[in-house]
């Protein structure tokens, strides 16, 4: 899995929490290398990595169950600091002689901690007597501390919300420091990594790149990899990284499904062929996609058709180059639904919520997904590290199914062309006003609704264009972006004047949840 050289590191033990990857992210933000291992393989990972610290994460089980997942007993004898979070705290308490009670009444969501004593996790951050917001999600709680531990902070539902053993440098926290709803959580984790474990905090994205390159080489061996480029940042970063790892064993296939934004195909081709000299097959599959989408109006049916057709095109191209053993994709962590299997469960299960949208259940290639543990902003950092032009790296996300999911109702070439023109005007104005980087994603949608208008002295009866712009940190939740007063009016005027087929423009004021970012 790892290169010969493992830097000073932290081992993160996965007990199945949905947010284990966020722990890794916080550790990376503290400038420290980490690896995640499922609890079943944690002993092996520990022996190989020789980490300077261990973080044991949360999980869905109760430590009071007969067959509850356990941490390897040798962890407690290794002389290495341990931070247990939620289930991790409870399992440590129980294994070391404390007591955990299975609760009917837990704490879920925002909670407040009363800081009672100093603790190295709180260094420079929290003082005794203060109260701080944290995020809890637990039913069970530690009711008797293991010998050597003392409680240093409490919450209403967890009297031992933070406890530590100063001798062995073991820490248990009932709350989740890894989530953003614990505002100081990242700094608590940084305190553990740097102050408690003594790590320097000088690990960088450059080292991540090296680690991934070694992993890709180990996974792929002398096999051939085909990488589907969608036009977006993620697949481009994945392709450049993989090319660095295995050179011309990689062939990129850029499928122009006719559902791209204006100028997108040209940009991708010139970046890959001109800038990187990466072998690129440019497949013009517009006809294949659009004819298959004729008459399809159901959003899931569109996604499934597009996913399936992508794979058919990939497989056909793979055959032409003499076969490929692997399909590379720029799947990010928020695209990944499973948590335990992510770090070593059985082979990857392909879900319909996928990088190119609705891949079929079975295909003949294994997946290579080097960005699987990263979040969008980290992928952008990695892209910059790999030398991708900033204008490309900082582009707004674009979904694999492309404009098809921005045209509710039937997708036709004519409607794609209308939407492309409106979208280009909208983005041009956003850029011209210097707003592009403040927005997570902005795009136009073309509604299957016609309204009456008047232009010149004539009546029009044309389509409605919706404009969407949101702010977000990871695409999981989003807020509406509030444009300055005149901006939208100006964009609406330009679109109606310049795009034949649209005579009305509306702005979408829905946050996520309850809406989603895309309309389908
Ligand atoms: P939603 O619409 O689910 O979108 O709020 C969240 C983020 O994911 C993008 N998105 C996709 N990206 N393939 C992708 O590569 C897809 O099938 C897909 N669906 C949505 C969307 O653009 C937004 O950034």
């Amino acid at each position: 899995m790892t290169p010969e050289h493992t830097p000073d590191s932290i081992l993160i033990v996965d007990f199945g929490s949905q947010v284990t990857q966020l722990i890794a992210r916080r550790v990376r933000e503290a400038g420290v290398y980490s690896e995640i291992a499922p609890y079943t393989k944690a002993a092996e990972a520990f022996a190989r990595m020789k980490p300077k610290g261990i973080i044991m994460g949360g999980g869905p089980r109760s430590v009071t169950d007969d067959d509850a997942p356990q941490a390897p007993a040798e962890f407690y004898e290794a002389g290495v600091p341990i931070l247990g979070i939620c289930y991790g705290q409870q399992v440590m308490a129980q294994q070391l002689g404390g007591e955990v009670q299975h609760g009917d009444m837990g704490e879920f969501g925002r909670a407040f901690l009363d800081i009672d004593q100093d603790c190295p996790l709180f260094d420079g951050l929290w003082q005794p007597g203060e109260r701080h917001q944290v995020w809890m999600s637990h039913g069970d709680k530690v009711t008797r501390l293991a010998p050597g531990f003392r409680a240093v902070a409490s919450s209403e539902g967890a009297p031992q919300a933070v406890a530590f053993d100063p001798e062995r440098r073991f820490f248990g926290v009932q709350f989740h420091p890894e989530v953003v709803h614990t505002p100081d959580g990242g700094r608590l984790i940084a305190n553990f990594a740097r102050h408690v474990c003594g790590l320097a905090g000088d690990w960088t994205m450059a080292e991540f790149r090296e680690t991934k390159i070694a992993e890709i080489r180990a996974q792929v061996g002398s096999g051939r990899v085909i990488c589907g480029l969608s036009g977006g940042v993620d697949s481009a970063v994945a392709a450049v990284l993989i090319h660095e790892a295995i050179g011309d064993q990689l062939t990129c296939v850029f499928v122009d499904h006719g559902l791209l934004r204006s100028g997108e195909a040209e940009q991708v081709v010139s970046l890959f062929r001109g800038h990187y000299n990466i072998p690129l097959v440019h497949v013009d599959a517009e006809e294949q996609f659009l004819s298959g989408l004729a008459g399809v109006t159901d959003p899931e049916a569109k996604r499934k058709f597009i996913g399936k057709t992508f794979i058919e095109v990939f497989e056909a191209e793979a055959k032409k180059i003499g076969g490929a053993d692997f399909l590379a994709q720029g799947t990010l962590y928020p695209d990944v639904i499973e948590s335990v299997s992510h770090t070593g469960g059985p082979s990857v299960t392909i879900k319909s919520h996928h990088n190119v949208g609705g891949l079929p259940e079975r295909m003949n290639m294994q997946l290579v997904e080097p960005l699987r543990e990263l979040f969008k902003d980290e992928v952008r950092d990695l892209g910059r590290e790999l030398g991708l032009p900033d204008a490309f790296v900082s582009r707004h996300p674009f979904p694999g199914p492309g404009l098809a999911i921005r045209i509710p109702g039937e997708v036709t070439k004519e409607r794609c062309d209308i939407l492309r023109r409106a979208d280009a005007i909208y983005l041009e104005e956003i850029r011209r006003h210097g707003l592009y980087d403040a927005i997570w994603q902005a795009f136009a949608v073309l509604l299957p609704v016609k309204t009456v208008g008047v232009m010149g002295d004539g009546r029009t009866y044309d389509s409605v264009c919706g404009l969407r712009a949101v702010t977000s940190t990871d695409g999981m939740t989003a807020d509406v972006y509030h444009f300055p007063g005149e901006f939208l009016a100006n964009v609406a005027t330009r679109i109606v004047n310049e795009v034949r087929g649209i005579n009305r423009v509306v702005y979408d004021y829905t946050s996520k949840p309850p809406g989603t970012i895309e309309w389908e």
Side-chain angles (χ1 to χ4, degrees):
M1 270 202 43
T2 26
E4 316 70 56
H5 159 75
T6 305
D8 280 349
S9 62
I10 286 191
L11 168 63
I12 299 168
V13 183
D14 184 7
F15 286 103
S17 159
Q18 294 291 317
V19 290
T20 304
Q21 280 296 337
L22 281 176
I23 304 174
R25 180 188 173 132
R26 300 290 165 242
V27 173
R28 284 199 288 276
E29 284 169 354
V32 171
Y33 175 80
S34 69
E35 281 184 38
I36 301 178
Y39 69 93
T40 47
K41 296 190 180 151
E44 224 174 285
F46 183 80
R48 174 174 52 76
M49 289 167 63
K50 303 182 181 55
K52 294 277 194 309
I54 299 170
I55 300 181
M56 306 201 292
R61 300 287 303 276
S62 168
V63 298
T64 60
D65 292 349
D66 286 343
D67 58 346
Q70 302 287 297
E74 60 263 39
F75 281 10
Y76 303 118
E77 306 298 327
V80 168
I82 301 178
L83 169 61
I85 296 173
C86 199
Y87 185 92
Q89 175 211 31
Q90 293 156 10
V91 82
M92 174 161 62
Q94 195 186 54
Q95 287 184 290
L96 294 177
E99 206 169 77
V100 175
Q101 203 175 64
H102 189 46
D104 324 315
M105 280 235 328
E107 289 173 293
F108 298 93
R110 204 158 66 126
F112 288 90
L113 273 194
D114 288 311
I115 312 303
D116 304 319
Q117 293 182 33
D118 281 324
C119 164
L121 290 185
F122 307 159
D123 277 355
L125 207 55
W126 293 351
Q127 304 290 332
E130 290 178 354
R131 175 166 255 236
H132 290 280
Q133 185 191 315
V134 295
W135 192 78
M136 296 268 194
S137 179
H138 69 108
D140 294 3
K141 64 182 175 208
V142 175
T143 45
R144 183 164 47 82
L145 293 174
F149 279 78
R150 63 170 185 255
V152 290
S154 53
S155 72
E156 207 168 301
Q160 339 272 11
V162 182
F164 86 113
D165 174 344
E167 198 76 357
R168 290 182 286 184
R169 297 174 301 157
F170 292 168
F171 299 78
V173 298
Q174 181 56 76
F175 63 93
H176 286 268
E178 68 274 34
V179 305
V180 288
H181 312 285
T182 298
D184 290 328
R187 292 171 66 194
L188 293 168
I189 290 177
N191 274 348
F192 175 73
R194 298 202 195 138
H195 296 185
V196 177
C197 303
L199 291 159
D202 54 4
W203 185 80
T204 60
M205 207 33 109
E207 282 157 285
F208 181 88
R209 166 185 181 175
E210 293 311 317
T211 308
K212 282 292 148 191
I213 285 174
E215 283 180 19
I216 294 165
R217 286 184 184 143
Q219 184 190 358
V220 167
S222 58
R224 285 209 65 86
V225 181
I226 195 167
C227 178
L229 292 182
S230 66
V233 176
D234 310 336
S235 57
V237 170
V240 172
L241 182 68
I242 294 167
H243 188 253
E244 218 174 274
I246 57 165
D248 291 353
Q249 278 167 262
L250 170 74
T251 302
C252 288
V253 177
F254 175 50
V255 179
D256 185 347
H257 48 19
L259 303 164
L260 296 168
R261 291 172 290 194
S262 179
E264 196 148 34
E266 296 75 9
Q267 271 179 28
V268 172
V269 172
S270 79
L271 180 72
F272 276 78
R273 289 208 182 123
H275 197 83
Y276 280 104
N277 207 16
I278 296 178
L280 176 75
V281 180
H282 180 186
V283 189
D284 180 356
E286 184 179 33
E287 169 53 31
Q288 189 177 347
F289 278 86
L290 290 185
S291 61
L293 283 169
V296 181
T297 56
D298 176 69
E300 271 303 296
K302 285 182 189 173
R303 284 175 172 272
K304 292 247 160 71
F305 168 78
I306 293 168
K308 175 176 85 64
T309 311
F310 255 116
I311 292 301
E312 282 166 15
V313 175
F314 286 144
E315 289 187 333
E317 290 307 318
K319 260 199 202 123
K320 283 187 204 158
I321 59 165
D325 315 288
F326 298 89
L327 171 68
Q329 292 203 132
T331 313
L332 306 191
Y333 185 63
D335 305 326
V336 177
I337 301 166
E338 313 99 314
S339 72
V340 171
S341 66
H342 165 73
T343 52
S347 62
V348 187
T349 318
I350 302 160
K351 303 254 175 171
S352 72
H353 184 238
H354 213 277
N355 200 42
V356 293
L359 293 183
E361 286 292 320
R362 283 180 193 287
M363 55 182 192
N364 300 330
M365 294 177 271
Q366 284 180 52
L367 290 177
V368 181
E369 296 180 311
L371 313 181
R372 236 175 123 74
E373 64 225 55
L374 297 187
F375 293 79
K376 191 88 191 178
D377 51 335
E378 295 182 302
V379 170
R380 291 192 165 123
D381 289 346
L382 179 60
R384 289 186 192 99
E385 178 62 40
L386 289 162
L388 278 146
D390 202 58
F392 193 86
V393 168
S394 51
R395 283 173 3 145
H396 291 174
F398 186 66
L403 300 183
I405 57 170
R406 296 178 178 174
I407 302 179
E410 188 179 9
V411 181
T412 61
K413 168 134 177 65
E414 187 199 359
R415 293 189 76 70
C416 289
D417 287 340
I418 293 174
L419 179 56
R420 260 190 283 272
R421 283 197 285 276
D423 190 70
I425 291 171
Y426 183 34
L427 288 176
E428 184 187 311
E429 288 296 325
I430 287 174
R431 285 210 169 84
R432 200 164 68 78
H433 284 78
L435 303 173
Y436 190 83
D437 292 335
I439 298 171
W440 161 267
Q441 203 169 6
F443 54 88
V445 293
L446 187 64
L447 307 191
V449 176
K450 282 186 155 191
T451 68
V452 174
V454 54
M455 282 181 91
D457 287 327
R459 176 187 192 267
T460 59
Y461 185 54
D462 279 326
S463 294
V464 179
C465 169
L467 301 180
R468 182 105 169 107
V470 295
T471 57
S472 179
T473 48
D474 51 17
M476 310 287 273
T477 57
D479 280 321
V480 175
Y481 183 77
H482 295 276
F483 284 107
E486 283 302 296
F487 178 86
L488 287 173
N490 174 43
V491 173
T493 305
R494 273 200 65 193
I495 290 177
V496 172
N497 284 346
E498 296 174 36
V499 183
R500 181 170 289 198
I502 293 176
N503 70 350
R504 193 178 294 269
V505 176
V506 296
Y507 189 62
D508 178 356
Y509 265 104
T510 321
S511 61
K512 174 183 177 176
T516 54
I517 296 177
E518 302 291 346
W519 278 39
E520 291 192 334

